[in-house]
Amino acid sequence: MHTHILFEHPLNEKMRTWLRIEFLTEQMNANLPIRDHASALHFFRNVGDLLDVFERGDIRTELLKELERQQRKLNAWSEVPGVDISRIDALRQQLKNSSSILMAAPRIGQFLREDRLIALVRQRLSIPGGCCSFDLPTLHMWLHAKQSQRDTLVESWLASLEPLNQALALILDLVRNSAQFRKQTSLNGFYQDNGDDADLLRLKLDLVSQLYPQISGHKSRFAIRFMPLDSEHGSVPERLDFELACC
């Protein structure tokens, strides 16, 4: 049984940001509930990184624009003969609801930014070992509080991100499902093609090949170079089959 690895590569800045937010959110949820320093620092480090990403641009405006764009695409799809209209209508309603919730929500990340414990831990994270009990007695005490108290606070932090997560999950799901995987072949480890205004490249590679893709490009053109995981002894076949979706 062959194992395939899925690689995703953004073809513009907004998609790069969204994939980072998705990744960080998944990491935040990975080690819950918080029971000790290890799970706490894993959580707070990802919260800090997430807040840094939020501060680099207007995430809400970009998401609202994309929700609107996806609605227009669905409107165009509804004209296609034989399409499942009930499915299209359900998705359109989801997009509208998500837009309304996102527009009504406070500034993204504001609730986390104003939390005293998050701020204290965030300040110390850049210092090697800077979250020891003597550095952060408040964190040390919090980790000795009742589990239910910690859980309630963490749930409130995560709930504040729900409008963002809901919109982002919907958008990424629509983007990922907008194109099918097709078999392609690289010659001497190289492949290039037109992006056709795509946002995201999705590439499936067989783990047995022990190769990984180095992707460069943007929405109109991209190039993929396949590299051996073992840079000293590995080799790239003259012809390599892989699956690619331009979403």
Side-chain angles (χ1 to χ4, degrees):
M1 175 98 177
H2 284 213
T3 302
H4 284 85
I5 304 179
L6 174 66
F7 293 90
E8 291 190 323
H9 188 84
L11 292 174
N12 51 48
E13 199 51 44
K14 68 175 184 186
M15 185 55 70
R16 192 182 306 276
T17 300
W18 293 346
L19 290 180
R20 286 193 171 132
I21 291 171
E22 180 188 49
F23 173 77
L24 289 167
T25 306
E26 284 172 357
Q27 293 301 307
M28 272 168 56
N29 285 282
N31 278 16
L32 296 180
I34 293 174
R35 298 186 188 282
D36 49 30
H37 267 91
S39 52
L41 293 183
H42 174 90
F43 181 85
F44 286 116
R45 188 164 277 114
N46 284 293
V47 170
D49 286 351
L50 199 56
L51 290 174
D52 287 345
V53 172
F54 292 163
E55 278 154 23
R56 285 182 202 146
D58 191 347
I59 309 291
R60 192 209 308 253
T61 302
E62 285 293 342
L63 286 171
L64 286 169
K65 272 192 212 164
E66 187 63 25
L67 289 166
E68 183 63 41
R69 186 174 81 110
Q70 291 293 341
Q71 282 192 60
R72 286 199 301 274
K73 280 172 88 170
L74 287 173
N75 288 342
W77 269 103
S78 63
E79 309 293 322
V80 177
V83 77
D84 184 347
I85 288 291
S86 61
R87 174 87 179 117
I88 297 265
D89 286 344
L91 281 169
R92 273 198 296 212
Q93 196 53 52
Q94 276 182 278
L95 288 164
K96 276 183 190 167
N97 292 348
S98 204
S99 281
S100 303
I101 292 166
L102 194 59
M103 278 161 85
R107 186 178 165 218
I108 291 174
Q110 193 62 28
F111 185 68
L112 301 177
R113 228 175 263 110
E114 289 171 354
D115 188 274
R116 186 168 167 269
L117 182 60
I118 290 175
L120 282 170
V121 178
R122 203 177 166 201
Q123 280 174 354
R124 309 291 309 177
L125 280 170
S126 59
I127 301 163
C131 296
C132 290
S133 59
F134 58 84
D135 283 307
L136 274 175
T138 44
L139 176 64
H140 191 60
M141 277 188 72
W142 186 66
L143 288 171
H144 282 81
K146 284 182 182 173
Q147 185 66 48
S148 58
Q149 273 180 268
R150 273 200 304 283
D151 291 347
T152 301
L153 185 55
V154 171
E155 278 165 24
S156 71
W157 289 336
L158 295 175
S160 73
L161 295 172
E162 207 40 49
L164 161 78
N165 291 339
Q166 194 184 17
L168 189 58
L170 187 53
I171 287 166
L172 290 177
D173 191 48
L174 285 168
V175 169
R176 284 172 173 138
N177 287 303
S178 67
Q180 290 183 317
F181 282 98
R182 299 186 190 285
K183 188 180 154 191
Q184 307 291 356
T185 305
S186 74
L187 299 175
N188 298 314
F190 187 74
Y191 178 87
Q192 64 178 357
D193 203 355
N194 295 324
D196 295 327
D197 229 18
D199 290 307
L200 179 70
L201 284 186
R202 308 184 82 215
L203 189 152
K204 281 184 189 172
L205 257 184
D206 197 326
L207 180 60
V208 173
S209 70
Q210 288 292 285
L211 299 170
Y212 64 90
Q214 273 191 346
I215 302 171
S216 59
H218 43 78
K219 63 183 182 179
S220 54
R221 190 149 188 82
F222 63 87
I224 305 169
R225 190 169 290 284
F226 293 94
M227 311 291 285
L229 193 57
D230 182 344
S231 55
E232 281 185 48
H233 307 107
S235 63
V236 181
E238 192 180 321
R239 295 175 71 84
L240 174 74
D241 291 336
F242 63 97
E243 288 185 66
L244 184 69
C246 289
C247 306

